[in-house]
Amino acid sequence: MYKRQAFAADAPKTKTEALLDKLYTATELQVSFTPDKKFASDLPMSAMTVYAKGNDIAVDTKLGFLPVRAVKTSIDSKVIHGIIGNKDIWEYVHKTVDSARLLLAYVKSYDEKIGDETYLVEEFNDREHVTTKFYYKDDMLKLISVYNDAGKSTQVTTINDYSFTVDAAVFKAPAGIDLTKLLKLFGFIKSLPLAA
């Protein structure tokens, strides 16, 4: 269940460990991020915002120039079901945090300047080929950089904002057309039949 093996019991808690603790116990989450273009090269996506509260989840993004909101509530779940499957979002979060705790071994902390900004960097590795750096500004996570030595590649995800409270109004279905068939047609939702 709740794993903490990757962090030494007598070591001071890092910002990253504290954030994982908060994420593990959260019942609400709002996070806006911009994926690395290498990561999302086959998708015409820009920044994404994911909202989760209880059993409800919503995702805001743009497909090309078209703003899209997908909402999953206990009443209508077919769009998000096509994107993330039938998995409970908090089960997914818990498994992700557990995996991170197993894989992330703390290396060191230091300041790093990027452009005009100076960040506190917490560096971790997986004890093999992957180095993950978490960049903090004013106690807020701003960047996650993952370097894979085996493939000599780096992916950087920009964290635009996050919060552990979500306005319930986010989950009200917007007026307009049902984009499920359009998204299926363009291959963004693979598990839905076109006639859904």
Side-chain angles (χ1 to χ4, degrees), residues 14-24 136 141 162 164:
T14 63
K15 291 181 184 297
T16 303
E17 184 181 8
L19 187 57
L20 290 175
D21 285 347
K22 181 74 174 166
L23 194 54
Y24 200 93
Y136 292 88
L141 179 63
Y162 59 93
F164 291 96

Side-chain angles (χ1 to χ4, degrees), residues 82-93:
I83 296 172
I84 67 168
N86 200 24
K87 193 175 285 189
D88 174 83
I89 186 65
W90 301 111
E91 176 187 345
Y92 179 78
V93 168

Side-chain angles (χ1 to χ4, degrees), residues 93-114:
V93 168
H94 292 167
K95 286 182 178 180
T96 301
V97 170
D98 285 342
S99 295
R101 290 191 181 283
L102 289 172
L103 292 174
L104 295 176
Y106 177 74
V107 177
K108 60 185 173 180
S109 296
Y110 50 90
D111 288 338
E112 182 176 322
K113 191 167 184 175
I114 301 175

Side-chain angles (χ1 to χ4, degrees), residues 53-72:
K53 182 171 187 162
N55 294 322
D56 296 340
I57 183 169
V59 178
D60 283 342
T61 191
K62 285 186 178 179
L63 299 176
F65 63 89
L66 180 68
V68 174
R69 171 170 289 173
V71 177
K72 173 188 174 185

